[in-house]
Amino acid sequence: MRDHPIPAATEPLQYRAIGVVRGTYRPQDSEKFTRGFLVDSDGVEIEAVVLGRVLTLMRRHLAMDQPHLWVVYPRCREADHLHLQISGIWEPSTLKQTLLDESDSERSSDSNLEIEDQLPQGDDYFSIRGELIYTRPETGDLVLKVRQKPRADGSRPLPFKLQLKGDVPLSNLRHFVSLEVRRHGQQLHLEDYEVMGPMPTRGGKGRGGRGSLVRRDGRGSQPNN
């Protein structure tokens, strides 16, 4: 197993939108198990769909009346309305205990298993990387464009936009940014960001030349010559 559900980016301009949300999954109804809601500890209901690869795990090994830490892909179909695609679960203890049960081994202590399931970033953490296409610091509104990988059949899914709350200077518009985000209710709020550089043009060069990496605190590294 990986030691984190959100792996480190392997390329400077690697797009992604992924996070973890703790909640109880409630299907829309018994006949539509893949559509429903994630309900957090505050009772907030977040619209969700379950991707096929996690269905077997949910039905065979999870207590569905209990909260779990779900690995999700966020979408924003409209302002202040979050939609999640459930792609997995971050609960190493469940998989480990399932393997132990199958081998009739001695059960591990619950306290040790709970520690394994915790992440350094905590619950409701998201990593979002893409092109900053809208920023309005005075209202704290951001919009990122995120591109998806080509499908197995070679087709390219359309990019999607994510609406977030936070303050990124207007000078970073049309730049590729890496955001650390936290979910609050139905919104995604910026906690930290890194500017990776201007978006490449069709010729392969960034707007305004080769950019440097700039963090929120203003520190940056000059590009290699």
Side-chain angles (χ1 to χ4, degrees):
M1 291 185 297
R2 295 201 309 258
D3 57 2
H4 201 287
I6 305 176
T10 56
E11 300 176 5
L13 303 187
Q14 179 179 333
Y15 289 89
R16 73 173 174 203
I18 185 173
V20 290
V21 172
R22 189 175 300 278
T24 303
Y25 179 71
R26 294 180 183 171
Q28 184 173 324
D29 57 54
S30 58
E31 296 182 356
K32 296 180 179 180
F33 185 84
T34 58
R35 293 187 177 272
F37 300 89
L38 277 185
V39 185
D40 68 12
S41 59
D42 295 323
V44 176
E45 295 186 348
I46 310 166
E47 184 179 282
V49 296
V50 180
L51 301 183
R53 54 194 165 190
V54 74
L55 273 175
T56 301
L57 176 64
M58 293 173 69
R59 286 173 167 165
R60 292 185 181 181
H61 302 295
L62 299 184
M64 295 306 299
D65 59 342
Q66 299 295 319
H68 302 281
L69 190 60
W70 304 97
V71 181
V72 298
Y73 302 138
R75 299 290 189 272
C76 296
R77 294 177 175 173
E78 56 188 76
D80 300 328
H81 185 83
L82 192 60
H83 175 86
L84 301 176
Q85 298 177 352
I86 299 176
S87 66
I89 181 175
W90 181 254
E91 205 164 281
S93 63
T94 296
L95 179 57
K96 179 176 291 187
Q97 196 58 59
T98 298
L99 295 174
L100 289 174
D101 290 343
E102 290 176 353
S103 62
D104 295 326
S105 299
E106 183 178 352
R107 187 175 184 84
S108 301
S109 68
D110 291 338
S111 60
N112 288 337
L113 294 177
E114 290 175 0
I115 292 175
E116 288 185 274
D117 296 341
Q118 297 176 1
L119 292 175
Q121 295 86 356
D123 297 349
D124 296 301
Y125 169 80
F126 286 77
S127 172
I128 300 176
R129 299 168 57 91
E131 180 184 357
L132 182 66
I133 62 172
Y134 180 85
T135 176
R136 192 174 182 182
E138 60 267 28
T139 61
D141 292 311
L142 304 172
V143 179
L144 252 69
K145 179 190 288 187
V146 182
R147 298 186 181 277
Q148 303 180 73
K149 293 181 178 180
R151 297 191 176 99
D153 60 4
S155 62
R156 291 183 173 272
L158 292 175
F160 61 91
K161 299 175 183 178
L162 283 177
Q163 301 180 46
L164 307 100
K165 304 298 291 186
D167 180 2
V168 177
L170 190 61
S171 58
N172 295 313
L173 194 65
R174 300 299 176 184
H175 282 60
F176 193 97
V177 295
S178 175
L179 309 183
E180 294 186 20
V181 177
R182 187 78 54 184
R183 181 191 68 88
H184 296 283
Q186 295 281 354
Q187 295 180 333
L188 297 176
H189 287 249
L190 179 67
E191 290 191 338
D192 199 4
Y193 69 87
E194 184 175 5
V195 181
M196 310 306 295
M199 288 297 299
T201 61
R202 291 185 178 181
K205 296 182 180 180
R207 295 181 177 90
R210 299 171 65 185
S212 61
L213 275 67
V214 181
R215 294 196 61 84
R216 190 171 194 167
D217 56 15
R219 293 178 299 175
S221 59
Q222 294 300 320
N224 296 325
N225 294 320

